[in-house]
Amino acid sequence: MSKQPIGIFDSGVGGTSIWKEIRNVLPNENSIYLADSINAPYGPKGTRKIIELSIKNTEFLLEKNCKIIVVACNTATTNAISILREKYNVPFIGIEPAIKPAALNTKTKAIGILATKGTLSSALFHNTSSLYSNGITIIEQIGEGIVQLIENGSLDSLEMELLLKSYLKPMLKANIDYLVLGCTHYPYLIPKLIKLLPKHVKIIDSGLAVAKQTKSVLEQLDLLNTEVLKPKNEFYINLKNTEVMQSLLGKPFNVDYLEF
Ligand code: DGL
């Protein structure tokens, strides 16, 4: 069992930011990453469709014999993880915007959350944000268009810079001192965000916490891979153009096109 891979899925290429954290924390583990880019973005889709796609992705990974599934997508986690946990007898790790550390540490009493429409409108997000919103202003901003730009290889475009500036504007006006990234595509924006934000604004991203949680669950269930051979990392995307994902991962990793 322990040699079985960790399965990871996202609506697209963004979850590779989580895969990188997992690889650093769990360097011995085999892994299979699935990018459902043909259906990206999930953000504007309704809950029912997001659940359907999350089930399809999970079944693919279970057929590949994965021992644990990491839902490397805030939108899929906040809309579908409870259904997945009910339906399948395998541990699931999810990712949600990390409001708690921002809300507990803000000095200006204002924090910003950048996430997809699907995440911000989910019941899970509402429950968490209402737990921590007492006495602070939470500026929620839908990152409309960001996922598509990253998916089509326009991470470094002028269009991206203009979008980010417009999304940060109301947050800066409200004097936020924490910006919570609520989408696994967004860690790729961090170098740009650092340039656009005043120095005192801290960026919070939950990738490392997800990787640590994955390790801790594997430890608890005695599922860590104890074999110290070179691990096998497989990457699948259902778009013929594999270049964007390939460039995010870099060498020596290899991305394969697969229809699913
Ligand atoms: N990476 C996904 C997330 O974390 C992107 C969602 C989308 O496809 O809109 O929410």
Side-chain angles (χ1 to χ4, degrees), residues 13 39 64 81 109 111 119 137 146 159 169 173 184 193 196 247 257 259:
V13 301
N39 290 304
K64 293 257 177 200
I81 203 162
K109 301 290 170 214
I111 65 171
T119 295
T137 306
I146 296 178
E159 209 180 336
K169 209 172 172 185
K173 205 169 161 212
T184 56
L193 291 169
L196 294 172
S247 73
Y257 163 68
E259 223 175 293

Side-chain angles (χ1 to χ4, degrees), residues 235-237 242 245-246 249 253-257:
F235 299 92
Y236 299 107
I237 185 166
T242 58
M245 185 153 149
Q246 188 67 65
L249 287 168
F253 304 105
N254 187 49
V255 180
D256 285 315
Y257 163 68

